[in-house]
Amino acid sequence: MVDKPGGMTSHDVVARARRVLSVRRVGHAGTLDPMATGLLVLGVGAATRLLGYVGGHDKTYEATIRLGQSTVTDDREGEVLTTTSAGHLDDAAVAAALAAQTGPLLQVPSSVSAVKVAGRRSYDRVRAGEEVVLEPRAVTVHGIDVHRTTRPRPDVVDVEVTVRCTAGTYIRAIARDAGAALGVGGHLTALRRTASGPFSVADAAAVEDAGAALAAGGGAGVLGLTDAARAVFPERVLAEAEATALGYGQRVPATGAPGLHAAVDGAGRLVALVEDAGSTARVVVGFPPG
């Protein structure tokens, strides 16, 4: 788990981990924009098989929203499109606009995002001069807590918030849409991911420290494959015969509970992620020894 600094892309972090470890199989569970900081969960080797299941969990972000300006990227790195004084807004109006951005939403991602359009990233199409309008997607914002509002200039309002949301939610879009609803425009000036599912930035390490810990086989920010799976899924402890059967891709008796389970053998090794299919449980993802 890495505490990504600003200015690096998620791919930059992955590339650095590959160089430090001399390992090709490195991935991450959920992109962070270069401007954003905070928790980036990496998977190395066999752990990359977990990433698709880890990244779908709820997220928590700390953010600062600036009201009074809209930008082409919906964050501070983009060109300013409009400037409309927000000096007349009181705290109650700001809180109400943000409250309207909670619950189930159909959210239109920023055109400068990683969403693919006909096989190409939206931001690549925008940079090439194309006009891109993305389809809305269903997300849920569980809550937005307003901590502080400040007025660095008479015409803008900065709002510090915590956002708890489902995977796939664009915090930039929350800023954009709240500003539009208030008639003044809005964008993000700061974004930090503090949690993803059961993982917290408090347990992450700086990029340099995490790389060194990984190379050493353990330390700050490093979680073993079995412990990572246990953090995300209920554990199923396997009998020896069950572990052998799953190793061959065979089925074992059902768990009796819905969803994926981390199937762990008596030695504490993650054998597979399993899921009930009738009276038996099937292998969804296997983890061969070694």
Side-chain angles (χ1 to χ4, degrees):
M1 293 178 286
V2 168
D3 186 350
K4 187 188 87 66
M8 292 184 74
T9 67
S10 300
H11 180 73
D12 291 338
V13 176
V14 168
R16 182 173 293 185
R18 286 173 176 157
R19 290 194 301 271
V20 169
L21 301 172
S22 298
V23 173
R24 188 66 192 161
R25 291 179 64 197
V26 181
H28 64 78
T31 301
L32 281 177
D33 293 333
M35 183 194 84
T37 67
L39 181 64
L40 187 66
V41 178
L42 300 182
V44 178
T48 56
R49 299 184 180 193
L50 279 179
L51 293 176
Y53 302 94
V54 171
H57 285 71
D58 288 354
K59 319 288 187 200
T60 303
Y61 296 90
E62 305 290 336
T64 302
I65 297 169
R66 173 157 290 184
L67 299 171
Q69 290 179 324
S70 65
T71 72
V72 68
T73 58
D74 301 326
D75 63 29
R76 71 166 191 254
E77 297 192 329
E79 178 186 354
V80 174
L81 293 176
T82 64
T83 299
T84 305
S85 177
H88 63 285
L89 296 177
D90 59 23
D91 289 355
V94 171
L98 290 170
Q101 296 299 313
T102 61
L105 302 173
L106 282 177
Q107 189 183 66
V108 178
S110 168
S111 60
V112 187
S113 69
V115 174
K116 285 190 174 181
V117 180
R120 288 178 60 204
R121 300 290 185 188
S122 178
Y123 55 68
D124 287 334
R125 290 182 174 274
V126 171
R127 288 166 184 162
E130 298 181 33
E131 184 174 342
V132 177
V133 178
L134 299 175
E135 293 296 320
R137 53 177 53 189
V139 301
T140 300
V141 178
H142 302 302
I144 300 176
D145 299 325
V146 177
H147 301 299
R148 189 169 70 136
T149 59
T150 57
R151 299 172 184 270
R153 302 201 311 257
D155 59 333
V156 300
V157 177
D158 285 354
V159 192
E160 297 175 15
V161 299
T162 297
V163 181
R164 302 177 307 281
C165 56
T166 56
T169 302
Y170 284 87
I171 312 304
R172 287 183 293 169
I174 292 174
R176 176 198 67 204
D177 294 345
L182 290 165
V184 297
H187 68 278
L188 282 186
T189 61
L191 181 65
R192 180 169 176 78
R193 183 157 65 202
T194 57
S196 176
F199 304 114
S200 170
V201 73
D203 300 318
V207 174
E208 298 79 5
D209 297 337
L214 279 168
V222 177
L223 194 63
L225 177 61
T226 300
D227 287 339
R230 284 172 172 152
V232 178
F233 308 105
E235 181 180 6
R236 174 176 177 168
V237 179
L238 300 170
E240 184 177 350
E242 292 175 329
T244 300
L246 287 178
Y248 286 108
Q250 299 170 358
R251 296 194 177 208
V252 295
T255 63
L260 292 172
H261 284 66
V264 179
D265 68 14
R269 184 183 73 83
L270 179 66
V271 176
L273 300 182
V274 298
E275 185 176 43
D276 283 1
S279 61
T280 60
R282 66 181 182 90
V283 174
V284 177
V285 183
F287 298 90

